[in-house]
Amino acid sequence: PKLTTGPDPYVDGRAYGAVVDGVTNDSAAVQAANDSIDTTGGTLGFPRGTCKCNFTLSNGVNIVGTGVKSTILRPFTDEAVIKTKLTDNTANVVFKNFQIYGDTTMTTQQDGIRLKATTAGKFIMNIILDNVQIKECGRYGLTTYGSVTTGPFVQQLTLRNVNIYDCVRSGWYMDGYLFETFVENTFIYRNGDATYPNIDAVLNGASGAVNRMKWVSGGVNHSNYPTTGIAARFSHAKGVSFDNVDLEEANKMLVFIGNQTRQISLTNNNF
């Protein structure tokens, strides 16, 4: 269905004029569909096909497709395909069963998913990516932003069955602070290009910190530039564990920096 109402409404952009032909700019239609459930929450669905759009996600709105091979979201402009509101909370959101196919010629702000708020005291919390593929973005595949002092806070982020690859810069860029993260069966690989040969596949900026992250199964590598790239780098990491994860094909596999790094656990990993 294109539109249902009730306590858990469902809407897709076709109800507001989206064409989903892989050519037309469907941004306005998709944004209108999202905004129609801005206050109630619900599900913003995407059908089979390719939808070219960039839009801002509302609090409590789930993004659900039909599968990573059948539902494809592509950017129309040099901006994140999906981004959160900078001045509001975003919580209890599920991204599921779709692919973001970026554009490597859009290299300024073209991220796949950007989870970011800039207003003090706001939070991005309880976000789940499940069966999502992000590839060939002009900047980062996934971006998370948080601040430990005044907020915004990024907390309780789950990545399950996620693939991020062939992006121009890092596959997953963590800017600032990230709390209580769980990663399972997730692969981040082959990111970076000739302009950014030293880029880290997974990068937490030097000004941030990762607190309580558990990564179980999957892999991180930098096979595009194995003699210069870093598979994963974390700053001020506390309570970080990797279990049964492949970290390979990089100059440095796993780097921890910062005087607050402690409680690191590495079990059954392949280096």
Side-chain angles (χ1 to χ4, degrees):
K2 295 182 181 180
L3 179 64
T4 62
T5 59
D8 186 20
Y10 175 98
V11 62
D12 86 36
R14 292 176 297 173
Y16 289 84
V19 181
V20 194
D21 62 358
V23 178
T24 304
N25 182 5
D26 286 330
S27 299
V30 172
Q31 190 66 62
N34 171 90
D35 295 350
S36 73
I37 52 175
D38 178 84
T39 58
T40 62
T43 297
L44 174 56
F46 286 85
R48 296 176 65 91
T50 299
C51 183
K52 297 200 79 169
C53 61
N54 305 79
F55 68 98
T56 301
L57 180 69
S58 294
N59 184 29
V61 174
N62 301 316
I63 306 297
V64 179
T66 62
V68 294
K69 293 185 177 180
S70 54
T71 296
I72 301 170
L73 309 184
R74 301 211 66 185
F76 190 82
T77 61
D78 190 348
E79 181 54 274
V81 175
I82 305 171
K83 63 181 180 180
T84 53
K85 294 181 178 180
L86 294 177
T87 59
D88 201 357
N89 300 318
T90 301
N92 306 319
V93 169
V94 176
F95 300 87
K96 188 171 184 179
N97 296 338
F98 64 89
Q99 172 189 152
I100 291 180
Y101 184 173
D103 187 331
T104 57
T105 69
M106 301 177 180
T107 57
T108 304
Q109 298 189 83
Q110 203 281 287
D111 303 335
I113 298 174
R114 185 185 304 148
L115 303 175
K116 181 176 182 177
T118 55
T119 301
K122 300 301 181 181
F123 56 81
I124 295 172
M125 180 179 290
N126 192 24
I127 308 295
I128 299 173
L129 278 70
D130 185 7
N131 195 34
V132 173
Q133 179 173 285
I134 304 173
K135 69 177 185 178
E136 296 187 33
C137 292
R139 191 169 70 162
Y140 308 119
L142 172 65
T143 303
T144 56
Y145 173 84
S147 170
V148 74
T149 52
T150 60
F153 306 97
V154 179
Q155 191 168 1
Q156 297 172 359
L157 172 66
T158 298
L159 276 63
R160 182 180 295 115
N161 304 319
V162 174
N163 289 320
I164 306 175
Y165 60 97
D166 287 345
C167 297
V168 171
R169 302 195 197 184
S170 298
W172 179 3
Y173 179 67
M174 307 169 197
D175 184 357
Y177 291 79
L178 192 64
F179 299 90
E180 299 174 344
T181 305
F182 179 69
V183 183
E184 180 181 16
N185 195 37
T186 289
F187 296 83
I188 301 178
Y189 58 97
R190 230 168 45 213
N191 295 285
D193 69 1
T195 307
Y196 302 97
N198 300 315
I199 206 73
D200 311 326
V202 176
L203 170 64
N204 174 239
S207 62
V210 175
N211 196 328
R212 300 189 299 280
M213 170 185 281
K214 184 175 183 179
W215 193 316
V216 179
S217 73
V220 183
N221 72 41
H222 201 309
S223 57
N224 276 354
Y225 296 91
T227 61
T228 57
I230 297 174
R233 176 160 66 93
F234 298 94
S235 301
H236 307 297
K238 178 181 178 182
V240 173
S241 67
F242 284 83
D243 183 5
N244 196 31
V245 178
D246 290 333
L247 296 119
E248 55 188 355
E249 297 187 68
N251 180 45
K252 296 177 181 178
M253 307 305 173
L254 191 57
V255 176
F256 293 97
I257 60 176
N259 56 14
Q260 299 182 40
T261 296
R262 57 191 182 274
Q263 299 172 359
I264 307 300
S265 175
L266 306 175
T267 308
N268 301 320
N269 300 293
N270 179 36
F271 290 90

